[in-house]
Amino acid sequence: MERYTGRVALVTGASSGIGAAIAQALVRKGLKVVGLARRVDKVKALELKDAPGKLYALQGDVSSEESILSAFKWIEDNLGGVDILINNAGVIGELPLTSAKTADWKRILDVDVLGLSICTREAFQSMLKRGVDDGFIIHINSVLGHIPPGSSDIAMYGAAKHAVTALLEGLRKDLVARKSKIRCGQISPGYVRTEIHDFLPKYTPEVREKTPWMESEDIAEAVVYMLSQHPRVQVHDIIIRSVGSDL
Ligand code: NDP
């Protein structure tokens, strides 16, 4: 992990949940962390006074290519470029395949698939331009990127997360073809207690009470583990389930 002290990490979706925990964990490890989200005030509130690293809160929307490109430009102008990308921003919805609105499906695909892909390309180009050959790109996927969804209403989210699994292996192959030493990997959590479940009406207080939750910090620890490995080691995927999970 020492190799990344003082380096620049971009964490998308840093205003809450898993992204907020990852941003703070990396600041504690001494990185310069750009926390990107639409609710930038929530990112600012994560500042850690006595940590060795520094948090830069940046407003941005990963469903907009223009917004992503201006975020990368800000990072280039102010911090040099991106050495580590954590593609964490994600949205979900109860969107049945036989009745949901196209615009709602698009919102999931724009953030969870296209936003992730555009950020990946821009981070790689930033590393290439500066001759950074020890960069790292990590996708926050889901258990639902590996197994079929349990119900139709989250099938579009499951499709997006399966796409992330395909995109990670595509990225890995692309890096191999380029003889790059830049690493990539993904973390695939089960149930984590975050705001994302507020978008799912089926998560009533009774359901939440019975759900075996993990905490966002559990996932942040996996990110630190992935980054801490020897440069010859590329942990490809960490599937993390809570004990007692049906997922
Ligand atoms: P939260 O809802 O707590 O956080 C989602 C984050 O994504 C927020 O910071 C939000 O910021 C950001 N975000 C959403 N849309 C955009 C956008 N258009 N542009 C920029 N940022 C955006 O959920 P989680 O922490 O749970 O989710 C983080 C990741 O973890 C997601 O990819 C999710 O799919 C994945 N995951 C979560 C699981 C869970 O059980 N919680 C399980 C498996 C995977 P803002 O609204 O301020 O823009």
Side-chain angles (χ1 to χ4, degrees):
M1 194 69 198
E2 292 72 38
R3 72 170 46 250
Y4 296 124
T5 305
R7 307 280 291 277
V8 178
L10 169 61
V11 181
T12 68
S15 61
S16 67
I18 296 170
I22 294 170
Q24 288 194 319
L26 296 183
V27 170
R28 284 194 191 95
K29 291 288 177 189
L31 279 78
K32 294 175 190 153
V33 178
V34 179
L36 183 95
R38 293 166 302 175
R39 294 170 298 169
V40 72
D41 287 347
K42 293 197 75 179
V43 183
K44 281 184 190 144
L46 299 172
E47 204 181 324
L48 297 167
K49 289 225 160 45
D50 297 323
K54 189 167 165 48
L55 180 67
Y56 300 82
L58 194 60
Q59 188 155 35
D61 180 344
V62 300
S63 68
S64 151
E65 178 161 26
E66 198 187 343
S67 178
I68 295 173
L69 296 183
S70 66
F72 274 88
K73 172 89 171 64
W74 184 90
I75 296 169
E76 182 176 342
D77 292 347
N78 292 279
L79 301 171
V82 173
D83 301 311
I84 294 172
L85 168 66
I86 314 291
N87 268 317
N88 165 80
V91 287
I92 196 168
E94 280 178 16
L95 305 168
L97 296 179
T98 48
S99 59
K101 292 196 174 77
T102 309
D104 291 334
W105 288 335
K106 259 183 106 303
R107 193 169 41 87
I108 293 202
L109 297 173
D110 282 347
V111 174
D112 299 10
V113 179
L114 270 182
L116 171 144
S117 301
I118 297 168
C119 288
T120 298
R121 180 191 68 209
E122 294 306 312
F124 175 76
Q125 289 297 331
S126 169
M127 295 173 203
L128 188 66
K129 204 158 137 185
R130 291 170 300 124
V132 170
D133 207 24
D134 64 350
F136 218 127
I137 297 170
I138 297 176
H139 302 331
I140 305 302
N141 197 339
S142 167
V143 164
L144 292 174
H146 299 275
I147 57 169
S151 59
S152 152
D153 54 3
I154 51 160
M156 192 56 75
Y157 175 77
K161 292 301 190 181
H162 273 74
V164 173
T165 296
L167 290 166
L168 175 68
E169 182 57 4
L171 174 62
R172 193 185 70 79
K173 293 265 168 58
D174 200 345
L175 293 170
V176 170
R178 286 174 174 270
K179 300 193 189 322
S180 172
K181 297 282 188 295
I182 292 167
R183 291 179 285 174
C184 60
Q186 68 181 9
I187 293 165
S188 304
Y191 298 117
V192 187
R193 193 197 316 268
T194 71
E195 290 177 11
I196 207 166
H197 299 93
D198 298 350
F199 295 95
L200 302 173
K202 68 182 171 193
Y203 278 87
T204 59
E206 295 72 40
V207 171
R208 286 175 197 240
E209 178 85 24
K210 288 190 189 128
T211 303
W213 297 109
M214 294 182 284
E215 302 298 336
S216 295
E217 291 69 25
D218 301 330
I219 312 309
E221 270 189 37
V223 169
V224 170
Y225 170 80
M226 213 173 235
L227 293 172
S228 306
Q229 300 309 299
H230 191 279
R232 68 175 170 262
V233 176
Q234 183 167 232
V235 177
H236 187 76
D237 193 356
I238 304 179
I239 297 179
I240 316 178
R241 289 183 160 100
S242 47
V243 173
S245 169
D246 61 356
L247 187 66

